[in-house]
Amino acid sequence: SKPPWVRIPPPPPSPAGKGHTVSSRKVHPARTSASPSHNWWLGGRRDAEAAGAFLEFLERAYCDEVLGAFFGGPYILNTFGGVLNLPSNLSYVGRVHRDQRTYSGDVHLMAQLLVMLDHFTEENGATRVVPGSHRADDSPVYGRHYDSIPAEMRRGSVLVWHGSLWHGGGANATDERRIGIAMNYCAGYIRQQENQQLGLPPALVATFEPRLRRLVGYGVYNGLVGHIDKRSPEQVLLGEGADRIVWDAI
């Protein structure tokens, strides 16, 4: 059977030398903009200048076809942030977890994307996954050891995995911090972990393209879920948008 994750290596640089947004030959601005000491979330980026280097990852719609096929319909951003693994960090064993807090069987509720801003190696604490754990109907026990494999990948690669997969950060035995961008998505009818409508100022969202607005939750799922008095958040908060509500068809 297919594993519950997909490894997507970075494409080679273009003939013009521009390469990919996070290629192995260029350090992306998000790498130097990330906090030097702790993880952060998109809702904490209150203006375009602070959020710009990170919003680019969402605008590029990484793995859109993979996610669309996984969810079988519209999906939205559950949470988005930077993940740091600092030198001499504790072993992953004490932090192994699953992102999706509720077991859903064959119903796909959540998927995680991790963009490597650094090379991920076993030495610097590459994310570790527990094969087959997405089929378990319970959650891992804190502190218990689980056999796992490291997701060793080059800078610019993307790792996609099932929201129920058990995983955790490995121990960083180097003297350099290891950084990635975590983009967690959920089915369009699921409540987001991070409340993007309150966390992102409307003035900032107004600068987004329509697709990105809907991705952060300003749209309406299948013409019904998420409306405000028969209008979408985009229409109420920004005064624009073209979401068609089911009552419009009655």
Side-chain angles (χ1 to χ4, degrees):
S1 61
K2 294 183 178 179
W5 63 80
V6 178
R7 299 178 189 232
I8 302 176
S14 66
K18 295 181 179 179
H20 196 261
T21 304
V22 282
S23 74
S24 59
R25 297 191 178 186
K26 181 180 179 181
V27 176
H28 192 274
R31 175 64 173 77
T32 55
S33 299
S35 167
S37 60
H38 62 274
N39 297 344
W40 52 264
W41 308 109
L42 183 59
R45 306 280 156 156
R46 304 296 295 177
D47 55 62
E49 181 178 357
F54 306 99
L55 290 174
E56 181 182 339
F57 289 95
L58 298 176
E59 293 169 343
R60 286 183 172 271
Y62 287 107
C63 309
D64 182 59
E65 292 185 4
V66 173
L67 292 170
F70 178 79
F71 288 112
Y75 61 90
I76 56 178
L77 184 68
N78 187 45
T79 186
F80 176 101
V83 287
L84 281 68
N85 198 342
L86 302 175
S88 301
N89 204 6
L90 295 175
S91 169
Y92 92 98
V93 174
R95 301 191 311 277
V96 63
H97 64 282
R98 69 175 5 151
D99 296 322
Q100 184 175 308
R101 309 303 294 174
T102 302
Y103 177 70
S104 60
D106 293 330
V107 179
H108 293 171
L109 299 181
M110 190 179 298
Q112 177 78 282
L113 270 70
L114 182 62
V115 180
M116 284 64 172
L117 297 188
D118 293 316
H119 298 312
F120 272 45
T121 67
E122 186 161 16
E123 289 73 25
N124 70 8
T127 298
R128 304 185 71 92
V129 297
V130 181
S133 58
H134 66 297
R135 293 188 290 269
D137 60 4
D138 57 354
S139 295
V141 177
Y142 182 83
R144 180 176 294 177
H145 173 79
Y146 297 95
D147 291 336
S148 64
I149 59 175
E152 295 187 284
M153 302 173 70
R154 294 171 51 223
R155 180 171 60 225
S157 301
V158 180
L159 180 66
V160 188
W161 69 82
H162 193 296
S164 289
L165 185 70
W166 298 7
H167 64 282
N172 187 348
T174 73
D175 58 0
E176 297 286 341
R177 59 181 185 156
R178 188 268 290 152
I179 302 178
I181 298 291
M183 295 178 281
N184 188 298
Y185 296 100
C186 62
Y189 53 86
I190 298 296
R191 181 177 176 85
Q192 294 159 286
Q193 177 179 321
E194 185 179 11
N195 191 321
Q196 310 291 351
Q197 292 94 334
L198 294 178
L200 296 173
L204 174 61
V205 179
T207 67
F208 294 175
E209 294 294 327
R211 176 194 170 277
L212 184 53
R213 292 179 185 176
R214 292 177 175 82
L215 189 65
V216 298
Y218 269 59
V220 174
Y221 179 82
N222 284 350
L224 179 61
V225 179
H227 76 88
I228 305 169
D229 193 21
K230 303 179 182 180
R231 293 188 295 167
S232 71
E234 185 178 27
Q235 293 167 325
V236 172
L237 298 175
L238 303 179
E240 55 185 279
D243 277 297
R244 185 175 176 81
I245 307 300
V246 292
W247 289 281
D248 294 336
I250 298 177

